[in-house]
Amino acid sequence: MAKDVTLADIAAKVGVSTVAVSKALSGKPGVSDELRARIRQVADRMGYKASASEKPAVVKTGNIGVIVPENYYGYSFSFYGQLYEKVVKALYDNRYYGILELLTKEDENENNIPKVLRDGKVDGLIFMGQMKENYIRKMVAQSEVPVFFLDTYRPSIMLDTVISDGYYGTYLLTDYLIRRGHRKIGFVGNIEATDSIADRFWGYRKALRENDIKFESDWEIPDRSRYGNIGDRILDRRIGIAEAYVCNCDYAAQVVIQDLEEMGYTVPEDVSVVGFDDFLPIGRGMDKDQITSYSVNMEQMAVTCVHSLIRKIEHQNYIEGVQIVTGKMVEKKTVKDRR
């Protein structure tokens, strides 16, 4: 009868200690991702099977890691700061605690596993916001804990995520402008920056097409660099001013309004403007009660994400793939009826 493969046999083959092998095979921190993968590969080739005494008991921490790219997070006055607070409340209501970790650009570029996971402090992970495709693939592929994404969408990757209805929401906003007599309607947003902005752009284009309005290329106006924040100025004096603007977020809408006012135009008397999210940063001198927008249901997005992740952790049935949380259009003071 063949001798059972031991941890010592694997350690000798790889050239490491039995402690390192034990940590690698049990999923404990203390070894690099590269070494862990090599040890597991050697163990599989040698036909290693863990005995009942060697298998680590699964101990829940009661914690969920919430990972947010550092350039998106601005504490309570940012969209993701507000969304994080709603996630934490939803976790608390389900007897879990959220541990925030800001994702640095370096860790994202190098596909580094979050520190809370390396330290064994969490039962699951929630990733919020846009991240690089390779990083998302690495997080989906890791098998240490279940993961869910929130306000993150990559059509090329199968991932469990909860998003707002950017496509239909922007379609509604654009159709609303058209029905009030607007025909020359610009879209403000860099579709290369995030997939959610791209979805909003195509919702806008759908409304134009359905109303027999030919899209003009100069109606597409970027509001940011591919990886950067929204600029202090969006509209250019050298470009003709449209009758109305559909902005990918309320912050961009506010900048557009300021640009128009500096050029001598009045909103909505001269130009109509709509936004998306129904959210403006706190303490920035902006009036959130002015801009007609599509209100994102952040609370329902957070609750849906948390409930789904917990069911995934507990090996219960949950809705896999993309879950879309609808919002509603809110009419305020930045659109004039021109019929």
Side-chain angles (χ1 to χ4, degrees):
M1 183 176 178
K3 176 186 174 184
D4 289 338
V5 178
T6 66
L7 297 181
D9 295 332
I10 300 169
K13 187 74 173 177
V14 179
V16 296
S17 68
T18 55
V19 173
V21 173
S22 177
K23 287 182 177 181
L25 297 180
S26 64
K28 293 180 179 178
V31 295
S32 67
D33 294 339
E34 181 181 356
L35 179 58
R36 189 188 304 276
R38 187 151 57 93
I39 289 172
R40 286 177 173 173
Q41 188 177 43
V42 170
D44 289 342
R45 284 205 305 263
M46 296 178 69
Y48 171 75
K49 293 182 179 180
S51 65
S53 61
E54 290 174 325
K55 292 179 181 178
V58 177
V59 180
K60 285 190 175 182
T61 66
N63 299 323
I64 300 294
V66 184
I67 315 302
V68 187
E70 62 180 357
N71 57 307
Y72 287 154
Y73 190 79
Y75 300 97
S76 62
F77 58 77
S78 72
F79 179 86
Y80 285 105
Q82 294 276 310
L83 188 57
Y84 169 71
E85 290 180 3
K86 296 184 187 307
V87 167
V88 169
K89 183 181 184 304
L91 288 169
Y92 183 79
D93 290 343
N94 288 273
R95 299 183 179 180
Y96 276 89
Y97 293 95
I99 300 178
L100 175 66
E101 180 173 332
L102 298 183
L103 175 64
T104 66
K105 186 57 66 176
E106 180 183 9
D107 282 340
E108 183 179 2
N109 290 336
E110 295 179 1
N111 295 331
N112 291 330
I113 294 290
K115 187 176 186 300
V116 289
L117 179 57
R118 296 198 302 268
D119 294 345
K121 293 181 177 179
V122 295
D123 302 323
L125 293 170
I126 294 174
F127 293 90
M128 286 171 43
Q130 183 86 357
M131 287 155 275
K132 288 189 173 182
E133 184 170 325
N134 286 341
Y135 184 79
I136 292 176
R137 289 187 185 279
K138 176 72 176 289
M139 297 307 107
V140 171
Q142 68 81 32
S143 59
E144 302 297 327
V145 298
V147 300
F148 238 86
F149 293 83
L150 181 58
D151 200 43
T152 307
Y153 174 56
R154 283 286 189 179
S156 59
I157 307 175
M158 290 294 295
L159 71 163
D160 295 326
T161 186
V162 177
I163 61 173
S164 63
D165 199 347
Y167 180 85
Y168 183 64
T170 314
Y171 166 84
L172 283 179
L173 289 165
T174 309
D175 188 66
Y176 172 82
L177 289 169
I178 294 168
R179 291 181 184 279
R180 276 149 188 77
H182 300 79
R183 302 290 291 180
K184 185 179 179 182
I185 304 170
F187 177 85
V188 177
N190 187 347
I191 64 174
E192 302 295 331
T194 70
D195 288 299
S196 62
I197 294 177
D199 281 350
R200 294 170 194 183
F201 173 75
W202 291 113
Y204 150 82
R205 289 286 300 272
K206 173 181 170 65
L208 293 183
R209 186 179 181 86
E210 285 190 357
N211 287 278
D212 296 322
I213 298 175
K214 183 180 178 181
F215 171 73
E216 303 289 344
S217 59
D218 60 359
W219 291 0
E220 182 184 339
I221 304 165
D223 64 335
R224 66 191 80 189
S225 66
R226 185 171 183 178
Y227 302 108
N229 296 321
I230 297 173
D232 294 331
R233 188 174 189 86
I234 294 174
L235 297 183
D236 192 319
R237 294 177 183 273
R238 294 169 296 179
I239 298 175
I241 299 301
E243 297 171 359
Y245 291 97
V246 176
C247 302
N248 76 93
C249 66
D250 283 3
Y251 185 83
Q254 182 67 28
V255 175
V256 166
I257 292 170
Q258 292 171 351
D259 290 347
L260 288 167
E261 290 175 346
E262 288 180 9
M263 295 181 195
Y265 295 93
T266 302
V267 175
E269 285 73 16
D270 300 320
V271 182
S272 293
V273 177
V274 297
F276 196 98
D277 290 334
D278 192 27
F279 175 88
L280 279 172
I282 298 170
R284 297 292 182 90
M286 300 180 179
D287 189 349
K288 68 181 182 65
D289 295 323
Q290 294 291 322
I291 301 173
T292 294
S293 186
Y294 184 82
S295 181
V296 171
N297 192 339
M298 284 194 281
E299 183 173 355
Q300 188 57 50
M301 289 175 65
V303 168
T304 300
C305 180
V306 167
H307 285 180
S308 298
L309 176 59
I310 291 174
R311 293 185 68 84
K312 189 174 182 179
I313 290 170
E314 296 176 350
H315 304 290
Q316 298 178 12
N317 290 332
Y318 69 94
I319 299 175
E320 300 182 40
V322 180
Q323 297 183 64
I324 300 175
V325 175
T326 58
K328 62 181 181 180
M329 212 186 84
V330 287
E331 299 181 57
K332 295 183 183 177
K333 303 175 182 178
T334 54
V335 175
K336 182 176 181 179
D337 196 323
R338 305 189 185 282
R339 290 174 293 183

